[in-house]
Amino acid sequence: YRRCTSGSSDEPGGGSSFKKEQAPQSQPLAKAQKVTISLNDIANIVGTIEVYKLDKERVKAWTLKAFKVNDYAELSEAQYSRLLDKLAAFALDAGINSDDIAEKAKEFEKSADSVRTAAQYADGREYHDEMSHANLLSNEAARYKRIAAQMKKSLSQETALAA
């Protein structure tokens, strides 16, 4: 509603009234925008490539050929999921399996626990530095666990599709 004034002050509200105003017409979208993956997803791709010890350039070349994109940031959610599955397949072809990655995660966890134990006897800045290092190791363990789980998921989906 829009407030309108009239010359008469006899009307309630001191000469003003309200008239219904039409909403402006919405503009049609010029082009539907493609929903792309997040920066965390891109970091996950790069980290997965590192964990699997894959050739980054070969993965980029496959991504360009398969999805017609020059950068991971241009991937859709579906393409991102498919790429993670393909990375797991590449890793298997290279002789890497999810149990090896899960074992590496356990090693990082053990190291983090060891550093935390040593930090109990440290003072001030040394304690802070050791706890920061332990947190980095824990984060790395979590990353390896996540990648191992993704690999298992990808393999189970492939097995289900083959059956």
Side-chain angles (χ1 to χ4, degrees):
Y1 289 94
R2 182 176 61 140
R3 186 177 201 140
C4 298
T5 58
S6 66
S8 169
S9 61
D10 295 341
E11 295 178 17
S16 62
S17 64
F18 292 93
K19 291 186 177 180
K20 192 170 187 176
E21 186 176 277
Q22 286 188 350
Q25 297 293 324
S26 61
Q27 298 295 323
L29 293 175
K31 187 178 183 180
Q33 291 186 352
K34 181 179 176 183
V35 177
T36 57
I37 60 175
S38 69
L39 292 176
N40 285 339
D41 293 335
I42 295 168
N44 187 34
I45 292 169
V46 172
T48 301
I49 292 168
E50 290 172 2
V51 169
Y52 290 162
K53 298 178 179 137
L54 299 174
D55 183 331
K56 293 175 188 172
E57 294 307 313
R58 287 183 71 191
V59 172
K60 279 272 195 185
W62 184 89
T63 304
L64 174 62
K65 183 179 174 187
F67 304 123
K68 312 289 189 267
V69 297
N70 292 314
D71 192 37
Y72 297 133
E74 298 172 25
L75 292 172
S76 68
E77 287 290 331
Q79 291 169 330
Y80 167 72
S81 180
R82 185 167 165 223
L83 177 58
L84 289 181
D85 292 342
K86 193 64 176 177
L87 293 177
F90 289 155
L92 279 174
D93 292 345
I96 296 170
N97 65 52
S98 60
D99 293 336
D100 295 338
I101 296 168
E103 188 60 38
K104 186 73 172 170
K106 287 179 186 175
E107 290 174 21
F108 278 117
E109 285 177 335
K110 273 182 152 180
S111 295
D113 289 343
S114 176
V115 170
R116 280 191 194 94
T117 301
Q120 293 175 0
Y121 304 104
D123 290 332
R125 181 72 185 166
E126 193 175 324
Y127 172 82
H128 173 74
D129 290 345
E130 287 187 27
M131 290 304 288
S132 293
H133 184 237
N135 286 337
L136 289 174
L137 291 169
S138 290
N139 290 342
E140 202 63 6
R143 181 170 72 120
Y144 273 71
K145 282 181 182 178
R146 182 178 25 77
I147 291 170
Q150 173 64 40
M151 186 179 219
K152 284 183 180 181
K153 177 183 160 201
S154 296
L155 296 176
S156 67
Q157 287 174 349
E158 273 186 31
T159 305
L161 290 175

